[in-house]
Amino acid sequence: MEEQQNDNQLNIELSEEVAEGTFSNLAIITHSNTEFVLDFIRVMPGIPKAKVKSRIILTPEHAKRLAQALQDNIDKFEQANGRIKTFDENSGFPMGFGGPTAQA
């Protein structure tokens, strides 16, 4: 008996370099009427300049699907590990990360 191959199956390749990932602790999201742009940034303590480490451009439909998938994964994570704590919205971005300020 032969196995029928699923025509909807997608073969995804992940290189070693991409599999290592890129750390980001800030994301900026902008959009136009045709696309969403997600810029992932690494901010370092005491350094006033930060670089965009990765940019992802999505269609509005894929942006919405990503938001739904992310929320689903957050819900599952919190069910298993407890509520994820976030900074108070009025406190602003913690540029110093709570540590001492660097001085030269």
Side-chain angles (χ1 to χ4, degrees), residues 62-103:
H62 284 109
K64 188 166 188 173
R65 287 178 189 238
L66 174 63
Q68 291 168 339
L70 188 57
Q71 186 60 58
D72 181 55
N73 276 267
I74 289 171
D75 292 343
K76 289 175 183 174
F77 177 91
E78 289 184 330
Q79 286 175 2
N81 301 288
R83 188 171 178 273
I84 299 170
K85 296 178 186 174
T86 57
F87 287 103
D88 180 45
E89 293 172 0
N90 296 327
S91 66
F93 185 76
M95 294 300 282
F97 296 101
T101 304
Q103 295 180 0

Side-chain angles (χ1 to χ4, degrees), residues 1-13:
M1 184 185 272
E2 291 184 18
E3 289 185 36
Q4 184 178 6
Q5 185 175 5
N6 185 350
D7 291 335
N8 293 329
Q9 187 174 5
L10 181 62
N11 186 10
I12 298 174
E13 182 179 323

Side-chain angles (χ1 to χ4, degrees), residues 15-83:
S15 70
E16 278 188 50
E17 181 182 356
V18 173
E20 289 179 10
T22 301
F23 178 76
S24 170
N25 52 6
L26 176 64
I28 296 177
I29 303 170
T30 56
H31 68 275
S32 69
N33 61 336
T34 58
E35 61 195 21
F36 279 72
V37 178
L38 288 70
D39 285 329
F40 294 95
I41 300 154
R42 183 182 311 148
V43 179
M44 300 302 291
I47 300 175
K49 187 174 183 180
K51 288 186 179 180
V52 173
K53 293 297 184 175
S54 182
R55 172 174 277 186
I56 306 297
I57 302 169
L58 304 166
T59 64
E61 179 184 0
H62 284 109
K64 188 166 188 173
R65 287 178 189 238
L66 174 63
Q68 291 168 339
L70 188 57
Q71 186 60 58
D72 181 55
N73 276 267
I74 289 171
D75 292 343
K76 289 175 183 174
F77 177 91
E78 289 184 330
Q79 286 175 2
N81 301 288
R83 188 171 178 273

